[in-house]
Amino acid sequence: WRMFDLLGRPWSLNDVCCYVPAWFGAAASAFTALLAHEGMYQVSGGSGATLVAAGAIMAILPAHAKRSVGGGFDNESVAMTPMCAAFYFWARCLRGPSAWPFAALAGVAYACMAASWGGYVFVINVIGLHVASLLFLGYDPHKLHRAYTTFFVIGTACAMRVPVVGWTPLTSLEQLGPLAVCILLQGLAVARLLGASRLRGAGQNVFTVYVLAGVGVVAVALLIPTG
C-alpha cells in the first residue's frame, strides 16, 4: 500500500486487499511449479515441462482458485504461498551437501505461515515425517542434521514470536513428532562424535528406532499431564 504511494501511483487500502489473493495465488502456483521441478531434479536434472504443467495444474485447482480470487481475502489466501515455499525450500536444501542453507528460508516460510494461519502445524509435521522416513531409509543423518536443525530452530523460534502461537510448538501433542525428530537428530549427532557412527546398515536402523522410541516415551510422559 505505501509502496504504491512511493511510486506515485496511490492505491486505496481496500484495492490492495482485493488484489492480495490474486498476487499470493500466483506466487503459490510458482512455488508449486518449483517444487515439482525440484522433485524431478534427481531424476533428469529438472524438467521444464514438469515445471509448467505443475504450475498450470495448481493455478486451475478449484480449491486453490477459491482462495485466490480477487476480493475474496481470507487467511488461506495468504497462507498457501508460505506453505508451498516452505516445502520447496525444504526439498531444495536436500539437493546436495552445500544446499542445506536453504533450510533457513524454509524456516522463515514456515514462520510466515504460522503468522497467517493455524494450519502451520501441517507444514512442520509433514517435514518432520519426511525426515523420519529418510532416516529409516538410510539417508545420511549428518546431512539431515544440518538441514533439519536449521529449519526447526529458525522456524520454531520465529513462530513462537507470534502471540497466538507462543510456546505451542514445544508443548502441543500435535507437534510432538517434529520435536522428537529434532531431538533424535541431536542424539545421532552426539553419537557420531562419540564414535557410534561406525554403525552401519541394520545396526544403525535399530539404533535409530530405539532412540526415537525412547524420545517419544519421554516426551509423551512429560506432555500428557499438561494436556
Side-chain angles (χ1 to χ4, degrees), residues 13-26:
L13 184 58
N14 179 71
D15 291 339
V16 173
C17 290
C18 287
Y19 276 94
V20 160
W23 292 335
F24 277 86

Side-chain angles (χ1 to χ4, degrees), residues 35-221:
L35 176 60
H37 180 269
E38 190 63 31
M40 292 295 295
Y41 184 83
Q42 297 295 335
V43 179
S44 60
S47 170
T50 301
L51 188 148
V52 173
I57 292 173
M58 178 65 172
I60 63 174
L61 281 176
H64 179 56
K66 184 179 179 181
R67 296 294 183 234
S68 58
V69 175
F73 188 84
D74 198 357
N75 293 66
E76 292 91 335
S77 302
V78 175
M80 286 300 298
T81 296
M83 181 179 72
C84 295
F87 289 147
Y88 164 67
F89 287 126
W90 172 251
R92 179 64 179 82
C93 79
L94 298 179
R95 178 185 291 188
S98 61
W100 65 269
F102 280 96
L105 296 177
V108 172
Y110 161 67
C112 289
M113 185 176 181
S116 61
W117 187 39
Y120 72 94
V121 177
F122 175 72
V123 173
I124 192 71
N125 277 287
V126 167
I127 293 180
L129 179 61
H130 183 239
V131 173
S133 301
L134 291 177
L135 284 174
F136 283 116
L137 292 174
Y139 196 87
D140 185 4
H142 180 59
K143 296 179 181 178
L144 288 175
H145 174 258
R146 290 187 299 178
Y148 189 72
T149 300
T150 301
F151 161 75
F152 189 85
V153 170
I154 292 178
T156 301
C158 293
M160 289 173 64
R161 300 298 299 170
V162 180
V164 296
V165 175
W167 289 91
T168 302
L170 301 180
T171 60
S172 171
L173 287 175
E174 291 182 335
Q175 301 178 59
L176 174 63
L179 176 59
V181 171
C182 185
I183 296 174
L184 168 63
L185 287 174
Q186 309 317 309
L188 291 175
V190 172
R192 182 187 182 92
L193 293 176
L194 296 177
S197 59
R198 298 188 188 128
L199 294 172
R200 290 293 184 268
Q204 183 174 6
N205 289 334
V206 171
F207 176 73
T208 301
V209 170
Y210 280 126
V211 173
L212 182 58
V215 169
V217 170
V218 172
V220 169

Side-chain angles (χ1 to χ4, degrees), residues 1 6 44 91 117 226:
W1 173 44
L6 294 175
S44 60
W117 187 39
T226 67

